[in-house]
Amino acid sequence: MGERILIIEDEQKIARVLELELQFEGYETGVAHTGTDGLILYREQSWDLILLDIMLPEMNGLDVLKRIRATEYDTPVLLLTAKDAVSDKVAGLDLGANDYITKPFEMEELLARIRVTLRFRKKEALEEADPYLFTAGQLRLHTQMREVTWQGEPVELTKREFELLAYFIAHPKQVLTREQILDAVWGYDYYGDTNVVDVYVRYLRQKLESQLIQTVRGVGYVLKEG
């Protein structure tokens, strides 16, 4: 069974062409010709992607998008916009649209954008289901593969640096004392200087080129969202 795409488009000829092309590509489709009917259909069934025209009767596309994003951000929305409607494109992206394509458009380009959007959604879903993957904003750490990326770039860490960062990312936004960090990363039998935590935090800051790990004066450290 293919992915399900909801088409909300008031021009019936365009909607029909989209429906036939998408079905030919193996997608299941639903069609609505007004903003109100589109919102009803969206709420009644489950969809993998929504093609949403902005200029709709009864309720315009931006209002439909606003109502969708008021409840969830998981379903990708690709806007169909008029050629000169720059403000609508900006407003749509600000409201949570994933992408837009300008009318008139080439069907191959639209299909390519749909494929990319759905691929990205699948990737996100797989990552969310991966128990070994931890994220904090643009920081990503995989405990099983022992890989770290920051802003999409790989970061090379020593074993101790990795364990320290893994401890931080497992406790995001939580203020951790030096003693807690020592016990978790260096072990309960460590009797050295607690300043070793400060040294390794400095190493991480240098390698990430970021103040993602922030000092809480008199207490310890906290990992903020990147």
Side-chain angles (χ1 to χ4, degrees):
M1 185 180 294
E3 289 107 335
R4 308 187 73 246
I5 297 178
L6 173 59
I7 304 162
I8 309 178
E9 166 62 66
D10 65 318
E11 295 184 53
Q12 297 196 20
K13 289 183 179 179
I14 294 177
R16 182 56 177 161
V17 170
L18 288 171
E19 183 180 29
L20 291 173
E21 290 284 350
L22 290 172
Q23 288 176 356
F24 182 78
E25 293 294 322
Y27 300 110
E28 294 186 33
T29 60
V31 179
H33 299 299
T34 71
T36 303
D37 288 344
L39 194 59
I40 291 171
L41 201 52
Y42 156 74
R43 288 172 173 166
E44 288 179 344
Q45 301 181 39
S46 176
W47 305 97
D48 296 296
L49 184 139
I50 300 171
L51 287 180
L52 177 61
D53 187 30
I54 288 184
M55 300 300 292
L56 293 169
E58 296 182 11
M59 182 189 302
N60 70 46
L62 293 181
D63 285 337
V64 174
L65 177 60
K66 191 182 299 183
R67 283 164 172 75
I68 291 171
R69 290 299 182 243
T71 57
E72 58 99 357
Y73 272 83
D74 292 334
T75 308
V77 176
L78 199 158
L79 294 178
L80 307 177
T81 71
K83 186 175 182 179
D84 57 351
V86 176
S87 60
D88 284 343
K89 296 172 186 174
V90 172
L93 293 172
D94 285 343
L95 287 171
N98 297 76
D99 199 359
Y100 66 84
I101 189 165
T102 302
K103 293 181 179 180
F105 50 80
E106 295 293 331
M107 187 58 65
E108 285 305 314
E109 181 185 359
L110 176 63
L111 292 173
R113 287 176 184 254
I114 289 172
R115 287 193 296 269
V116 168
T117 303
L118 289 174
R119 227 174 13 242
F120 186 74
R121 182 176 187 245
K122 285 180 182 176
K123 181 173 178 286
E124 284 188 323
L126 286 172
E127 289 176 349
E128 287 175 5
D130 189 340
Y132 300 104
L133 179 68
F134 293 82
T135 63
Q138 298 183 73
L139 177 65
R140 303 161 65 79
L141 182 146
H142 200 285
T143 55
Q144 190 177 51
M145 294 189 289
R146 299 189 74 81
E147 292 178 349
V148 175
T149 61
W150 168 244
Q151 297 179 336
E153 297 296 326
V155 181
E156 294 295 329
L157 299 179
T158 66
K159 182 176 182 294
R160 188 74 74 186
E161 289 165 351
F162 181 90
E163 291 170 352
L164 176 58
L165 186 59
Y167 184 62
F168 274 119
I169 206 168
H171 301 83
K173 301 179 183 178
Q174 180 179 333
V175 178
L176 302 169
T177 67
R178 290 173 176 81
E179 289 73 21
Q180 285 176 304
I181 297 168
L182 278 173
D183 288 345
V185 180
W186 276 264
Y188 288 101
D189 56 351
Y190 177 80
Y191 293 105
D193 196 333
T194 59
N195 285 341
V196 69
V197 174
D198 304 324
V199 172
Y200 274 83
V201 166
R202 187 165 66 250
Y203 292 160
L204 287 177
R205 286 172 173 169
Q206 290 170 350
K207 291 192 173 182
L208 295 173
E209 296 181 352
S210 165
Q211 293 295 313
L212 193 64
I213 302 171
Q214 297 184 4
T215 303
V216 180
R217 192 175 297 278
V219 183
Y221 296 97
V222 60
L223 178 71
K224 297 292 186 180
E225 288 288 346

